[in-house]
Amino acid sequence: MPGSQLRWLKNSVSSACVLRFDSIAADSALSVRCYCLRMDSLFTAKEDISLTSAAAEHYLARFRKVLAYMDEHLHDDLSVEQIGQTAGFSKYHFQRQFSELFGLSVYKYIQLQRLKRASYQLVFRQPRQIIDIALACGYENPESFTRAFKKNIGQAPFKFRKQPQWIPWHATYQPLNHLRITHMTSAYQVGQVRLIAFKPTRVAAIEHRGDPRLVGHSVRNFIEWRKQVGLSPKASATFNILYDDPAGTAPQDYRLDICATTNREIASNLFGVIEKTLPGGRCAVLRHQGSDNGLGQAIAYLYSQWLPHSGEALRDFPIYVQRVSFFPDVAEHQAVTDIFLPLDG
């Protein structure tokens, strides 16, 4: 309720209490006065909650600015004082504020983010030399990078590149994922949803079936196939078909297709890439910017808020996404994903 309406209602109730008090017997005066005080306290509490919520959102927004700054400058020599200054935090308090809010230190966050980007570059950007990845992540030499990587990820960089152990890797990044889901979420509005007519689109697809934590294996196989056939992401849009919600699906039953648009015939191959078609039809499209940790929230907004108020009905095809820009090629908070919700009619 807007503040002006809240104050008007508060004043109206107080006036009504006074009028009622003047017209009743003296032995009821105490109960009426208590009622008036309770009502006054109720409205005051609501005003306080509103103010507190606004202050908390402003506080969190400053920290989101800090996280975005760190994500964008992982290759720089960052100091706590420098980071805090980006959002006006005092150098005497910022580190404690960060640790209390997020449950890990500033330097631990930076280290985990650097090693996450390094992990993606090792597995999905294989032409890059390990020494180049180490330097790009802010390490002075390959030895210090290797020690940090093995301590946090559980494998040496060259072993992770050859055969990544994704399940313990995901366990390492669970605290960071929780941090992003909790504190780096976006508030979506109806005006951000576009209605489009999607044309039928032929794609090459690799079908991932099984534990969602092992999708990295399928992604790497698909990247290798694209390299072999010369189907670059710059010339061919990348889509994912999301058959299942990983939060509500048994790991062994999870299904996801990784796709790339193409007009070519798909020759038989060792990677299991096959031809499919994204069907044409109307779609609601919502753009998500940031890590995949916030993708579920964006999808939930479409289903739980936009759809019930839209008057639309869903078409019999799964929700799918287009990867417009990728991490680690861009900072994680700058990655762009368009979500397509197929509509009937």
Side-chain angles (χ1 to χ4, degrees):
M1 180 180 292
S4 59
Q5 293 181 2
L6 189 64
R7 286 190 294 272
W8 175 85
L9 184 55
K10 173 183 170 182
N11 293 336
S12 299
V13 171
S14 297
S15 299
C17 288
V18 172
L19 290 172
R20 181 63 179 154
F21 172 75
D22 288 341
S23 63
I24 61 174
D27 58 357
S28 300
L30 181 59
S31 62
V32 174
R33 176 55 58 193
C34 290
Y35 173 77
C36 293
L37 290 174
R38 286 198 302 271
M39 292 300 294
D40 188 71
S41 298
L42 173 64
F43 286 107
T44 301
K46 287 186 176 180
E47 289 179 317
D48 289 345
I49 290 171
S50 177
L51 290 172
T52 302
S53 299
E57 175 54 33
H58 177 68
Y59 186 74
L60 292 176
R62 293 169 66 196
F63 274 102
R64 285 194 288 270
K65 184 177 180 180
V66 164
L67 296 179
Y69 178 84
M70 287 191 286
D71 286 354
E72 199 165 352
H73 294 83
L74 291 175
H75 57 284
D76 294 339
D77 184 15
L78 297 170
S79 69
V80 171
E81 182 177 355
Q82 174 190 0
I83 295 167
Q85 285 177 347
T86 63
F89 288 107
S90 166
K91 64 181 179 181
Y92 300 110
H93 307 291
F94 172 64
Q95 183 146 240
R96 289 189 178 92
Q97 288 175 281
F98 189 98
S99 299
E100 288 299 324
L101 181 62
F102 295 138
L104 72 169
S105 70
V106 174
Y107 286 119
K108 188 64 176 180
Y109 176 88
I110 293 171
Q111 183 185 56
L112 286 174
Q113 277 297 93
R114 284 174 170 169
L115 295 178
K116 182 177 184 179
R117 187 173 69 174
S119 301
Y120 275 61
Q121 291 173 333
L122 285 166
V123 177
F124 304 133
R125 304 293 183 266
Q126 292 217 19
R128 295 203 68 181
Q129 298 294 315
I130 291 179
I131 186 172
D132 294 329
I133 294 174
L135 294 174
C137 288
Y139 288 89
E140 295 181 354
N141 54 67
E143 292 74 23
S144 59
F145 170 68
T146 297
R147 285 194 299 271
F149 196 93
K150 187 172 183 179
K151 180 180 179 180
N152 287 273
I153 306 301
Q155 292 180 273
F158 75 93
K159 290 185 177 179
F160 188 83
R161 164 167 275 179
K162 185 177 181 180
Q163 192 172 9
Q165 300 297 314
W166 286 113
I167 290 179
W169 184 92
H170 278 281
T172 297
Y173 279 94
Q174 185 57 38
L176 199 61
N177 294 342
H178 177 73
L179 180 158
R180 287 184 169 274
I181 291 171
T182 305
H183 298 293
M184 295 194 73
T185 55
S186 301
Y188 295 100
Q189 305 294 330
V190 172
Q192 294 175 268
V193 180
R194 299 179 289 121
L195 297 181
I196 68 162
F198 188 87
K199 296 181 179 180
T201 303
R202 289 181 61 212
V203 295
I206 191 168
E207 298 175 322
H208 176 85
R209 301 294 184 263
D211 198 325
R213 294 172 296 177
L214 301 178
V215 166
H217 293 317
S218 298
V219 171
R220 181 156 75 168
N221 287 337
F222 193 64
I223 290 173
E224 185 59 34
W225 176 84
R226 291 181 83 157
K227 289 179 181 177
Q228 288 189 12
V229 301
L231 198 62
S232 167
K234 294 180 180 179
S236 170
T238 302
F239 288 87
N240 299 154
I241 304 176
L242 312 179
Y243 295 95
D244 302 301
D245 178 359
T249 306
Q252 66 273 16
D253 296 328
Y254 181 72
R255 300 168 298 163
L256 167 80
D257 287 353
I258 306 164
C259 312
T261 59
T262 183
N263 290 320
R264 306 176 188 177
E265 295 295 327
I266 308 301
S268 178
N269 58 88
L270 298 176
F271 298 99
V273 177
I274 59 175
E275 182 181 321
K276 290 193 174 186
T277 299
L278 294 174
R282 295 172 64 247
C283 289
V285 183
L286 176 63
R287 173 158 290 191
H288 166 69
Q289 182 170 332
S291 77
D292 275 8
N293 300 127
L295 190 59
Q297 182 205 16
I299 292 172
Y301 169 79
L302 284 173
Y303 280 114
S304 65
Q305 297 187 51
W306 180 84
L307 183 62
H309 295 91
S310 68
E312 299 283 355
L314 297 179
R315 184 156 35 100
D316 192 24
F317 189 77
I319 195 167
Y320 56 98
V321 302
Q322 180 182 356
R323 302 293 184 170
V324 180
S325 60
F326 301 85
F327 173 77
D329 299 332
V330 299
E332 195 166 17
H333 75 283
Q334 294 176 332
V336 175
T337 305
D338 283 341
I339 305 165
F340 293 77
L341 185 65
L343 301 176
D344 199 12

